[in-house]
């Protein structure tokens, strides 16, 4: 390996090292949280919710909701949270 290539590699590694360290040392800026989340899609993002509809088909009893916090059925045809729930969580 010739000396110019070695010098180039060392300078590149130092640049990457200092860039990573500088970006990690900055204080994070709080991002504003969205007021609503609209998701259009198929069954992978729609668990359904029929608590407010007059229908004989309900899902507000176990085992629905068993993977939610406190294991409370919520009227959704799902065991737990879906991708939109994680994206829009407000922790």
């Amino acid at each position: 390996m010739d000396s110019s290539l070695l010098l180039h590699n060392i300078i590149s590694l130092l640049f990457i090292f200092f860039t990573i360290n500088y970006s990690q040392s900055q204080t994070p800026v709080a991002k504003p949280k969205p007021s609503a989340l609209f998701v259009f899609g198929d069954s992978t993002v729609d668990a359904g919710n029929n608590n407010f509809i007059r229908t004989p088909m309900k899902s507000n009893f176990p085992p629905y909701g068993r993977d939610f916090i406190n294991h409370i059925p919520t009227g959704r045809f799902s065991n737990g949270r879906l991708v939109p729930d994680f994206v829009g969580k407000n922790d």
Side-chain angles (χ1 to χ4, degrees), residues 43-80:
S43 62
T44 60
V45 295
D46 182 16
N49 187 341
N50 66 356
N51 276 351
F52 305 107
I53 301 173
R54 290 187 125 182
T55 178
M57 306 298 283
K58 294 288 186 182
S59 60
N60 54 0
F61 56 87
Y64 299 111
R66 69 176 174 225
D67 296 331
F68 278 116
I69 298 171
N70 298 329
H71 311 289
I72 298 172
T74 61
R76 295 171 63 175
F77 289 98
S78 171
N79 291 343

Side-chain angles (χ1 to χ4, degrees), residues 1 4 9 11-12 16 18 23 27 32 36-37 41-42 44 52 57 63 66 76 82 86 88-89:
M1 185 184 279
S4 64
N9 287 340
I11 291 172
S12 297
I16 292 170
F18 285 115
S23 66
T27 56
L37 180 65
D42 58 6
T44 60
F52 305 107
M57 306 298 283
R66 69 176 174 225
R76 295 171 63 175
L82 299 174
F86 290 105
K89 77 178 183 177

